[in-house]
Amino acid sequence: MAYVESRKNLAGGALGVAGLGLTFAGLAGPYWPVVVAGLYGAGALLAPPERPPVPDFPDPSAQLDEVRADFGRLGGYLAGIELPPAAAGRLTELTELLTALLDPSWVAEILGQDPEGVHTLSRAVRQDVPEAVDTYVRTRWWTRLTPGTEPPERHLERQLTLLHDELERLAAALRDTEARRQESHTRYLEDRSG
């Protein structure tokens, strides 16, 4: 059934009908079946191939739903880990910021239009935070065996601070986007009113 609706069949059918027109005009003579079949074949060969359908990728808002689910799993993982007070404070600030950015309110609507922002959140939730905490947990054991090295708590605090700063920049960019949107709507209304 797909071939019946294909471009090749439609082009071949159109040229085949033209061949029938030539037959009725008396130009094909006794070889009219060959002329009609030949024109059908030529049309089928010359027609452009079918275009494959465009892949249906999930939009950023659907990706945000997946990141929210992963953030829930990350929260369960982090709840079972004991961190030093300074790192625990930085992690709490970071998770509060992530919670605010992943809130399914107007922030999600703005993030849905910013694939780079969704990627930044996804990378933070799925890779950066778990890796920082897991590396701390594994390294803490080794530093007990080699005293005098820089404590892994300091690295963890730095990593969490850098991640927090990156997400703060994302939040600031989202605020700027909304501010520009509001300003442009104000200018539009001013211009419209004369």
Side-chain angles (χ1 to χ4, degrees):
M1 190 64 181
Y3 181 75
V4 171
E5 297 174 348
S6 72
R7 292 179 181 189
K8 293 192 174 291
N9 186 42
L10 293 176
L15 285 181
V17 168
L20 284 175
L22 291 174
T23 301
F24 292 131
L27 298 174
Y31 301 109
W32 69 269
V34 175
V35 170
V36 171
L39 285 174
Y40 175 84
L45 288 174
L46 294 176
E50 293 294 320
R51 283 182 279 162
V54 177
D56 186 24
F57 295 115
D59 63 340
S61 60
Q63 293 174 358
L64 274 176
D65 292 339
E66 295 173 11
V67 174
R68 279 188 201 98
D70 291 344
F71 183 60
R73 286 194 294 276
L74 177 64
Y77 166 72
L78 295 175
I81 295 178
E82 188 175 325
L83 297 175
R90 292 307 292 168
L91 184 61
T92 301
E93 292 173 4
L94 180 63
T95 54
E96 287 173 355
L97 182 57
L98 280 168
T99 301
L101 287 170
L102 288 171
D103 184 32
S105 62
W106 62 270
V107 176
E109 184 180 316
I110 298 170
L111 270 172
Q113 301 168 1
D114 182 16
E116 290 298 321
V118 173
H119 175 70
T120 300
L121 282 175
S122 174
R123 185 181 60 221
V125 168
R126 294 175 176 162
Q127 180 181 355
D128 295 336
V129 173
E131 186 174 332
V133 172
D134 185 56
T135 303
Y136 162 76
V137 169
R138 284 185 283 133
T139 306
R140 185 178 57 180
W141 184 82
W142 287 105
T143 54
R144 286 188 219 136
L145 299 176
T146 55
T149 60
E150 188 174 11
E153 295 87 15
R154 200 167 295 143
H155 284 287
L156 178 62
E157 289 172 34
R158 265 190 258 148
Q159 292 168 0
L160 295 175
T161 300
L162 291 170
L163 288 170
H164 187 271
D165 292 346
E166 180 182 26
L167 293 175
E168 274 289 335
R169 287 191 298 275
L170 174 62
L174 294 175
R175 281 191 298 269
D176 290 344
T177 300
E178 273 305 291
R180 281 193 306 272
R181 182 174 157 206
Q182 186 177 25
E183 289 170 8
S184 68
H185 188 65
T186 302
R187 277 194 302 273
Y188 164 73
L189 291 174
E190 289 172 349
D191 292 344
R192 189 174 75 181
S193 66

